Amino acid sequence: QVQLVESGGGLVQPGGSLRLSCAASGFTFSNYAMTWIRQAPGKGLEWVSIIDTAGVSSTYADSVMGRFTTSRDNVKNMVYLQMNSLKSEDTGVYYCTKGWRNMRPGGQGTQVTVSS
Protein backbone atom coordinates (compact mmCIF):
# COMPACT_ATOMS: atom_id res chain seq x y z
CA GLN A 1 0.00 0.00 0.00
CA VAL A 2 1.00 3.59 -0.49
CA GLN A 3 3.12 4.97 2.32
CA LEU A 4 4.30 8.55 2.66
CA VAL A 5 6.45 9.47 5.65
CA GLU A 6 7.28 13.13 6.18
CA SER A 7 10.12 14.34 8.38
CA GLY A 8 12.36 17.31 9.02
CA GLY A 9 9.97 19.68 10.70
CA GLY A 10 10.71 21.59 13.87
CA LEU A 11 10.86 24.95 15.57
CA VAL A 12 12.71 27.69 13.70
CA GLN A 13 13.03 31.43 14.09
CA PRO A 14 11.63 33.80 11.47
CA GLY A 15 14.08 34.07 8.61
CA GLY A 16 15.42 30.60 9.23
CA SER A 17 15.44 27.51 7.06
CA LEU A 18 14.26 23.93 7.19
CA ARG A 19 14.43 21.03 4.79
CA LEU A 20 11.51 18.63 4.80
CA SER A 21 11.77 15.11 3.45
CA CYS A 22 9.15 12.64 2.33
CA ALA A 23 9.89 8.94 1.91
CA ALA A 24 7.54 7.22 -0.51
CA SER A 25 6.83 3.53 -0.95
CA GLY A 26 4.16 1.19 -2.22
CA PHE A 27 3.87 2.67 -5.72
CA THR A 28 6.04 3.43 -8.73
CA PHE A 29 7.34 6.74 -7.46
CA SER A 30 8.86 7.95 -10.72
CA ASN A 31 5.45 7.71 -12.46
CA TYR A 32 3.82 10.35 -10.27
CA ALA A 33 4.11 14.04 -9.72
CA MET A 34 4.44 14.86 -6.05
CA THR A 35 2.76 17.65 -4.15
CA TRP A 36 3.41 19.37 -0.85
CA ILE A 37 0.45 20.74 1.05
CA ARG A 38 0.15 22.29 4.50
CA GLN A 39 -2.40 23.08 7.14
CA ALA A 40 -2.02 26.07 9.41
CA PRO A 41 -3.62 25.98 12.86
CA GLY A 42 -7.36 26.43 12.55
CA LYS A 43 -7.25 26.67 8.76
CA GLY A 44 -7.86 24.43 5.80
CA LEU A 45 -5.38 22.62 3.62
CA GLU A 46 -3.27 24.80 1.33
CA TRP A 47 -1.35 23.68 -1.71
CA VAL A 48 2.35 24.60 -1.49
CA SER A 49 4.27 23.06 -4.39
CA ILE A 50 4.24 20.45 -7.12
CA ILE A 51 7.13 18.72 -8.84
CA ASP A 52 6.79 16.74 -12.04
CA THR A 53 7.77 13.09 -12.46
CA ALA A 54 11.29 13.79 -13.67
CA GLY A 55 12.01 16.56 -11.21
CA VAL A 56 12.54 19.01 -14.03
CA SER A 57 9.56 21.29 -13.53
CA SER A 58 8.02 22.61 -10.34
CA THR A 59 5.34 25.12 -9.47
CA TYR A 60 4.68 27.00 -6.26
CA ALA A 61 1.92 28.83 -4.48
CA ASP A 62 2.34 32.59 -4.54
CA SER A 63 2.76 32.59 -0.77
CA VAL A 64 6.01 30.57 -0.97
CA MET A 65 7.34 31.54 -4.41
CA GLY A 66 11.02 32.46 -4.25
CA ARG A 67 11.45 31.06 -0.74
CA PHE A 68 10.66 27.35 -1.11
CA THR A 69 12.19 24.83 -3.49
CA THR A 70 11.00 21.30 -4.08
CA SER A 71 13.15 18.50 -5.47
CA ARG A 72 13.04 14.74 -5.77
CA ASP A 73 15.28 11.70 -6.00
CA ASN A 74 13.69 8.97 -8.09
CA VAL A 75 16.35 6.47 -7.06
CA LYS A 76 15.73 6.92 -3.36
CA ASN A 77 11.97 7.54 -3.75
CA MET A 78 12.27 10.78 -1.86
CA VAL A 79 10.81 14.23 -2.30
CA TYR A 80 12.11 17.30 -0.51
CA LEU A 81 10.98 20.78 0.36
CA GLN A 82 13.70 23.33 1.08
CA MET A 83 12.17 26.24 2.97
CA ASN A 84 14.12 29.46 3.34
CA SER A 85 13.25 32.87 4.77
CA LEU A 86 10.55 31.29 6.87
CA LYS A 87 7.72 33.43 8.19
CA SER A 88 5.31 32.93 11.06
CA GLU A 89 2.55 32.31 8.53
CA ASP A 90 4.45 29.24 7.31
CA THR A 91 3.63 27.52 10.60
CA GLY A 92 1.60 24.37 10.15
CA VAL A 93 1.65 20.67 9.44
CA TYR A 94 3.24 19.81 6.10
CA TYR A 95 2.29 16.77 4.05
CA CYS A 96 3.53 15.27 0.83
CA THR A 97 0.95 13.71 -1.44
CA LYS A 98 1.06 11.45 -4.47
CA GLY A 99 -0.05 13.01 -7.69
CA TRP A 100 -0.68 16.40 -9.22
CA ARG A 101 -2.14 18.79 -6.67
CA ASN A 102 -3.54 15.96 -4.56
CA MET A 103 -5.04 17.63 -1.49
CA ARG A 104 -5.57 14.45 0.50
CA PRO A 105 -2.86 13.85 3.14
CA GLY A 106 -1.62 10.30 3.11
CA GLY A 107 0.90 10.44 5.93
CA GLN A 108 1.13 11.83 9.42
CA GLY A 109 2.76 15.06 8.30
CA THR A 110 5.57 16.99 9.93
CA GLN A 111 5.05 20.03 12.14
CA VAL A 112 6.77 23.28 11.24
CA THR A 113 6.66 26.09 13.78
CA VAL A 114 8.13 29.47 12.94
CA SER A 115 8.41 31.59 16.04
CA SER A 116 10.87 33.72 17.92
Side-chain angles (χ1 to χ4, degrees):
Q1 71 279 18
V2 173
Q3 275 200 309
L4 298 165
V5 181
E6 301 91 347
S7 61
L11 173 64
V12 62
Q13 292 187 341
S17 298
L18 282 174
R19 187 192 194 211
L20 306 184
S21 299
C22 171
S25 62
F27 63 101
T28 305
F29 181 74
S30 58
N31 285 356
Y32 292 87
M34 294 296 293
T35 298
W36 284 97
I37 62 176
R38 67 185 181 185
Q39 187 165 30
K43 297 188 176 180
L45 291 164
E46 176 190 18
W47 162 73
V48 175
S49 70
I50 304 172
I51 188 164
D52 71 350
T53 55
V56 172
S57 177
S58 54
T59 58
Y60 300 91
D62 288 345
S63 57
V64 306
M65 182 80 70
R67 300 187 297 121
F68 289 13
T69 304
T70 187
S71 60
R72 65 190 293 162
D73 185 329
N74 284 348
V75 174
K76 296 181 179 179
N77 288 3
M78 298 287 295
V79 61
Y80 306 99
L81 186 66
Q82 177 67 43
M83 307 187 296
N84 298 328
S85 302
L86 282 160
K87 305 176 181 179
S88 58
E89 51 263 44
D90 295 317
T91 293
V93 180
Y94 285 69
Y95 305 90
C96 65
T97 66
K98 165 181 168 263
W100 190 269
R101 208 157 179 167
N102 180 359
M103 297 299 291
R104 297 185 301 274
Q108 83 288 350
T110 187
Q111 174 71 46
V112 172
T113 302
V114 184
S115 175
S116 54

